[in-house]
Amino acid sequence: MRQVAKASQVLRGHVGDLWEQYVRHPFVVSLKEGTLPRDAFRYYLIQDAKYVAEMQRAVIRASSMAPLEEAVEVITAVFGNPQRGKEVHERLYSALSITDEEVRNTGFNLVNYAYTRHLHYYASQGWPLFLAAWAPCMWGYREIGAFAASTADPIYREWASFYSSDDYERRVAAVLDVLDRYEVTLDMLRAFLNSVRFEIMFWEAALRMEPTIY
């Protein structure tokens, strides 16, 4: 009997080499090697904080249209232990002198603005479409965290420790497990592909420390 490929496998296969461009982007490689400029990493952390806040809002919106059991599974996994990620980021913020006020008062760069609006759009279109748009972020960071965890740089190792942790692994597994309950549509392929492209552009914007908009 022929085995049907899981949705996550179909989606990842669809993007081909773009996935490697994302998870092994020069930003990621230089982070592991400890050669990433601190200013670029600091810039990235601030933009990422703004992204995560919008991403979480999009998750809540999309989950309101999900089957209750699936919504509970994902939300419990992703939001059930907020202190784990918060502790890591608080230590990073302290080491790099980033304040909550600075994050609030910094604008989105253009890529971040477009990416978060992309997520909000798919959150309005339905649960499976949103999962496809969201999965590259969650899934890719798990691979990136594992790749960068051995860096000799203590600050970058601290950052990677969260994404390589068992706790984060459980979050990703919950998202992919629910995603795999659906059949892939053309719109899901498009959502996944464009999110991978946004992830690549997110790294590039951080390396260039692009101007922000308000």
Side-chain angles (χ1 to χ4, degrees):
M1 182 177 179
R2 183 184 177 188
Q3 187 174 6
V4 178
K6 294 180 179 180
S8 56
Q9 295 171 337
V10 173
L11 291 166
R12 181 156 164 173
H14 177 67
V15 303
D17 292 342
L18 279 179
W19 189 263
E20 283 300 304
Q21 292 179 41
Y22 161 34
V23 299
R24 294 296 182 270
H25 190 276
F27 184 102
V28 176
V29 173
S30 61
L31 184 149
K32 179 179 179 175
E33 293 174 347
T35 58
L36 180 69
R38 281 284 191 268
D39 285 350
F41 184 68
R42 190 180 190 280
Y43 173 98
Y44 156 77
L45 282 180
I46 293 172
Q47 288 300 309
D48 185 59
K50 302 184 79 65
Y51 167 88
V52 168
E54 293 300 320
M55 177 267 285
Q56 291 175 338
R57 293 185 181 99
V59 172
I60 297 301
R61 182 179 184 182
S63 65
S64 70
M65 294 182 283
L68 181 59
E69 178 183 344
E70 294 179 8
V72 171
E73 284 182 45
V74 170
I75 289 175
T76 299
V78 174
F79 295 101
N81 185 19
Q83 284 303 116
R84 179 66 180 89
K86 185 178 180 181
E87 290 168 357
V88 170
H89 280 79
E90 283 179 349
R91 289 194 289 270
L92 291 172
Y93 282 16
S94 176
L96 297 170
S97 301
I98 298 173
T99 65
D100 291 339
E101 182 180 12
E102 182 180 9
V103 174
R104 285 194 302 271
N105 292 337
T106 300
F108 288 79
N109 66 39
L110 200 56
V111 170
N112 198 5
Y113 183 85
Y115 189 8
T116 51
R117 272 56 194 173
H118 162 84
L119 291 180
H120 282 297
Y121 169 76
Y122 280 107
S124 74
Q125 298 302 299
W127 182 236
L129 278 170
F130 176 73
L131 290 173
W134 183 30
C137 171
M138 297 293 292
W139 195 0
Y141 269 60
R142 182 182 67 180
E143 293 189 15
I144 291 164
F147 172 72
S150 60
T151 178
D153 187 288
I155 289 180
Y156 301 156
R157 188 168 60 249
E158 179 78 38
W159 176 84
S161 71
F162 171 64
Y163 297 107
S164 60
S165 67
D166 291 341
D167 176 73
Y168 190 76
E169 165 71 26
R170 286 188 290 272
R171 301 183 192 200
V172 176
V175 173
L176 296 183
D177 180 65
V178 173
L179 173 62
D180 285 338
R181 299 173 196 178
Y182 292 91
E183 291 186 11
V184 174
T185 65
L186 181 60
D187 284 340
M188 289 171 70
L189 289 170
R190 184 179 297 116
F192 189 93
L193 173 62
N194 286 332
S195 288
V196 173
R197 288 170 171 160
F198 273 125
E199 290 289 351
I200 293 169
M201 290 188 287
F202 203 99
W203 295 134
E204 291 172 353
L207 282 178
R208 293 193 296 265
M209 297 177 60
E210 291 187 348
T212 58
I213 61 174
Y214 290 89

